Amino acid sequence: MVTFSANLGFLWADLPLPAAIRAAKAAGFEAVECHWPYATPKAEIRAALKETGFEMLGLNTPKSAGGIGQFGLSALPGHEALARAVIDQSLSFADDIGARSLHVMAGIASGAAAQASFCEALTHACHQAQQSGITILIEPLNRYDAPGYFLNSLAQAEEIITSVNQPNLKLMFDCYHVGRSEGDVITQLQARLPLIGHIQFASLPNRKSPDQGTLDYTQVFAAIEALGWTRPLGAEYHPDGVTENSLDWMHTLRP
């Protein structure tokens, strides 16, 4: 059966993270994930996760550090040492709260030097993450929402994953970003399945709840179930108003 994770970067974003975790449990989600939890005391996150029985599926490396970066640091030539330090700090935080994965953000960059920096950072991240069993994720972002972001296509992500060649480096497949940039989400899912470490979703083209827009998530969720995917899918969308009022899709779209 398809199950769902609440991305608390967007859902219940008005609440402190521990309260958002509890709200997701009350709403019927099966797991949670987040973007940047670093300002929240780890003990409070652990307590909320223990109370709810939830696993924190993943978090992101910070968008910037030391005044450097906008959408991450790891593909910025000349800042390799800072990128490694940020990855190490993020992995430590993830390990302390029991998170399953870490999304390493690339940043605004282009060219061969940027790719070399990104691959170097990912190799470091994968080696460090092996100690705690954390999966490293990379996510192509569409050019409309993140213009200039280094990683912007599935083909590019596949090339990088192949080049780095580490078993704990996987693709974060966001149906919204893929649909905006590359179309035919189901075909792309089927083709990339062996590379995928996590799946997220939102409506096209407005990144709202999945019962809106042009992408039929009844078909998408059924296709994911048919592929044998058993891990929770990340609901990463902007709710219209109160999050609880945007959740009818959990009942109407679930296969």
Side-chain angles (χ1 to χ4, degrees), residues 1 15 84 113-114 117 141 159 167 173 207:
M1 184 180 77
L15 297 179
R84 289 193 298 271
S117 294
L141 305 184
E159 178 186 351
F173 188 104
R207 208 172 194 181

Side-chain angles (χ1 to χ4, degrees), residues 12-96:
W12 293 285
D14 56 324
L15 297 179
L17 183 55
I21 293 170
R22 296 181 176 99
K25 177 68 173 183
F29 282 94
E30 286 86 8
V32 288
E33 56 199 68
C34 61
H35 289 160
W36 301 285
Y38 304 105
T40 304
K42 288 178 280 189
E44 294 182 15
I45 299 173
R46 288 195 300 267
L49 293 172
K50 182 177 180 180
E51 178 185 323
T52 57
F54 273 167
E55 184 174 32
M56 181 68 74
L57 294 189
L59 55 147
N60 298 343
T61 55
K63 285 184 174 182
S64 62
I68 306 298
Q70 292 176 275
F71 280 88
L73 301 157
S74 296
L76 304 187
H79 298 290
E80 288 83 0
L82 179 60
R84 289 193 298 271
V86 166
I87 286 167
D88 290 348
Q89 293 163 8
S90 301
L91 281 171
S92 177
F93 195 103
D95 189 29
D96 284 348

Side-chain angles (χ1 to χ4, degrees), residues 133-240:
I134 292 173
T135 298
I136 300 300
L137 299 174
I138 58 173
E139 179 184 18
L141 305 184
N142 76 76
R143 297 177 177 90
Y144 307 101
D145 289 2
Y149 191 72
F150 174 73
L151 185 61
N152 53 53
S153 75
L154 291 171
Q156 183 189 14
E158 182 171 6
E159 178 186 351
I160 289 169
I161 290 170
T162 301
S163 175
V164 173
N165 193 29
Q166 295 294 321
N168 59 338
L169 178 60
K170 295 291 184 179
L171 170 68
M172 178 122 76
F173 188 104
D174 189 317
C175 298
Y176 166 75
H177 286 295
V178 172
R180 289 296 308 267
S181 294
E182 307 188 47
D184 201 346
V185 168
I186 292 175
T187 297
Q188 296 288 2
L189 267 167
Q190 292 166 337
R192 310 289 179 176
L193 183 64
L195 300 177
I196 297 174
H198 186 45
I199 300 172
Q200 296 177 325
F201 61 89
S203 70
L204 291 176
N206 59 359
R207 208 172 194 181
K208 298 294 185 178
S209 60
D211 51 359
Q212 304 182 42
T214 59
L215 183 57
D216 185 349
Y217 273 101
T218 301
Q219 294 183 6
V220 173
F221 293 154
I224 291 170
E225 186 175 46
L227 290 170
W229 187 268
T230 58
R231 297 188 290 279
L233 310 176
E236 190 184 37
Y237 67 86
H238 296 289
D240 288 318

